[in-house]
Amino acid sequence: MNHIKYSKADILKLEQELLEAIKSSNVNRLNALLHDDLLFVTPDGQTITKQMDLEAHRTKAMVVEEIKSDVEEITFIDNSAIVVLVYNTKGKMMGNAIDGKYKYIRVWNLLNEEWKIIGGSCVKLN
């Protein structure tokens, strides 16, 4: 069994890369960070797949004007990292304004020596 060392600093670096990819709608980087079987639940209860997320960025249906993150907690369970964070976000999704604070839970999993996001969810705080 391969024992790879990883730390909270590794996950924080990945979270920063994800944030930059979201800001710039960098579909190639998002594609690399998201697992093919990703499931994510939005604040309105919709389940989003990787392809749906990438398409929203590709077609500019999702436009992020401002986004700031505050990581609250990172916990490791076996080869998974669970991240709790708050995004302060401003932008548009499908023409609807997004403005406020959203609390996320995101699950990263180490697969073939590479971290991928496999799941997550968010709720609006204000």
Side-chain angles (χ1 to χ4, degrees):
M1 184 167 167
N2 192 3
H3 293 284
I4 297 171
K5 299 284 183 201
Y6 46 84
S7 68
K8 288 184 180 183
D10 296 328
I11 300 302
L12 286 171
K13 182 177 180 282
L14 287 166
E15 283 288 340
Q16 188 58 41
E17 288 179 28
L18 177 66
L19 186 68
E20 293 303 319
I22 291 169
K23 278 186 198 177
S24 62
S25 286
N26 184 335
V27 174
N28 289 333
R29 189 64 190 130
L30 289 169
N31 185 52
L33 293 170
L34 304 178
H35 189 277
D36 287 345
D37 295 323
L38 165 81
L39 292 177
F40 185 87
V41 178
T42 64
D44 65 358
Q46 185 179 3
T47 302
I48 301 293
T49 65
K50 175 182 178 174
Q51 292 310 315
M52 292 166 75
D53 189 38
L54 295 179
E55 191 63 17
H57 284 279
R58 190 178 292 114
T59 63
K60 304 295 185 200
M62 169 113 179
V63 176
V64 177
E65 296 163 12
E66 293 177 27
I67 188 168
K68 295 178 185 159
S69 71
D70 180 27
V71 175
E72 294 183 345
E73 190 171 342
I74 299 173
T75 301
F76 291 96
I77 300 172
D78 294 328
N79 283 344
S80 294
I82 302 166
V83 181
V84 176
L85 66 155
V86 174
Y87 277 168
N88 195 347
T89 308
K90 186 174 183 178
K92 290 189 173 91
M93 180 60 167
M94 305 286 207
N96 298 317
I98 301 169
D99 192 0
K101 288 186 178 183
Y102 295 83
K103 190 163 196 169
Y104 284 71
I105 187 165
R106 187 162 21 246
V107 181
W108 293 83
N109 191 260
L110 189 61
L111 299 160
N112 301 319
E113 300 184 23
E114 202 172 11
W115 286 103
K116 299 277 188 177
I117 301 167
I118 61 171
S121 181
C122 74
V123 295
K124 188 166 187 185
L125 296 179
N126 63 357

